[in-house]
Amino acid sequence: MLNDTSTSKLLSAKKRLKQAEAAQKLAEQNAAKEISEKLADEASLFRDAVKDVKPFTAPPKDEYKLKPKPIPLQFIRDEQQALVDSLSDHYIPAHEIETGEELLYLRDGHSPDILSKLRRGHWVIQAKIDLHGLISDEARLYVSTFISDCKKRGIRCVRIVHGKGLGSRNREPVLKHKLRGWLMQKDEVIAYAEAKKQDGGSGAVIVLLKA
């Protein structure tokens, strides 16, 4: 059995342990209270800082999609009409050279050597169009648009097939004669020559455009 002294020491130790636990619990409560008060102060400061800010409302998702630019149809029609109107069917060629049945053209101010090189195939044909099956107005627009496009793309030598007129009324090459006048009216055209036999012969022309 424990004597009185041992019992007294045991009770004293238990008392000190409870006091220590109580002190630790109080310290933890004070620390938690301090953190809570600090967070409350920070929240209050944040609310004061953003009180005048308006909330952002996101637009519907579909509004973020890029809308395609409208196609300027009227502008395109006007531009095409201007190209057509710029070429007359009644142009009288003044500088066309005729050698037998072959027709050649060289714009003023350019060396005659250009025609010789063009006829020999000095320049590689980079693009071509065929006017078969087109009426005059369609062919005129096609030719004008084609040449303008070639100029923008830096294309210098092209072939235009106009046909020999075997299927037309009176078997006359109507487009062939009109094409010659159209080409002479285009400032981009330096020269043209009848195509070689393998490139269409009298049914096509090789055209040299300005660089």
Side-chain angles (χ1 to χ4, degrees):
M1 295 180 62
L2 295 175
N3 57 28
D4 292 341
T5 301
S6 298
T7 302
S8 178
K9 288 181 178 179
L10 182 59
L11 292 174
S12 179
K14 289 182 177 179
K15 184 178 180 180
R16 287 196 299 271
L17 180 59
K18 288 183 179 180
Q19 288 175 345
E21 290 176 348
Q24 183 179 354
K25 186 175 182 179
L26 180 61
E28 291 175 352
Q29 290 175 346
N30 289 335
K33 183 179 180 182
E34 184 178 347
I35 293 173
S36 178
E37 291 176 349
K38 185 177 181 181
L39 291 175
D41 291 340
E42 291 179 352
S44 179
L45 291 173
F46 176 76
R47 285 194 295 271
D48 289 341
V50 301
K51 64 181 179 180
D52 295 326
V53 177
K54 295 181 179 180
F56 171 73
T57 302
K61 186 177 180 180
D62 290 343
E63 292 188 16
Y64 284 110
K65 296 179 181 178
L66 292 176
K67 296 181 179 180
K69 294 183 178 179
I71 300 175
L73 296 178
Q74 187 58 50
F75 174 77
I76 293 174
R77 285 193 290 266
D78 292 343
E79 190 175 51
Q80 290 178 339
Q81 189 59 47
L83 288 174
V84 171
D85 293 342
S86 68
L87 299 181
S88 171
D89 285 341
H90 306 292
Y91 179 77
I92 300 176
H95 305 288
E96 194 172 44
I97 304 168
E98 185 171 356
T99 58
E101 295 184 356
E102 184 180 2
L103 297 175
L104 308 170
Y105 168 72
L106 178 66
R107 189 171 296 278
D108 283 346
H110 294 277
S111 171
D113 291 341
I114 290 177
L115 278 179
S116 298
K117 290 180 178 180
L118 191 61
R119 295 172 71 191
R120 293 199 308 268
H122 176 79
W123 289 278
V124 176
I125 298 174
Q126 298 170 284
K128 61 183 178 179
I129 56 173
D130 190 335
L131 306 182
H132 277 110
L134 301 181
I135 62 175
S136 179
D137 286 343
E138 293 172 340
R140 180 168 46 192
L141 174 60
Y142 194 13
V143 169
S144 189
T145 303
F146 173 66
I147 291 177
S148 297
D149 183 57
C150 288
K151 176 66 176 178
K152 293 175 183 176
R153 294 163 55 194
I155 292 175
R156 292 218 60 197
C157 187
V158 301
R159 177 162 62 104
I160 301 178
V161 178
H162 48 70
K164 299 179 180 180
L166 300 179
S168 62
R169 183 178 298 178
N170 299 326
R171 301 176 67 84
E172 293 183 358
V174 177
L175 282 182
K176 176 179 180 178
H177 298 309
K178 289 188 176 183
L179 176 63
R180 287 156 41 198
W182 297 339
L183 292 175
M184 292 179 199
Q185 294 174 71
K186 296 295 292 183
D187 186 59
E188 297 92 336
V189 175
I190 294 176
Y192 70 69
E194 185 175 293
K196 292 182 178 180
K197 186 175 182 179
Q198 63 268 28
D199 291 325
S202 61
V205 292
I206 307 301
V207 184
L208 183 66
L209 305 176
K210 291 182 179 179

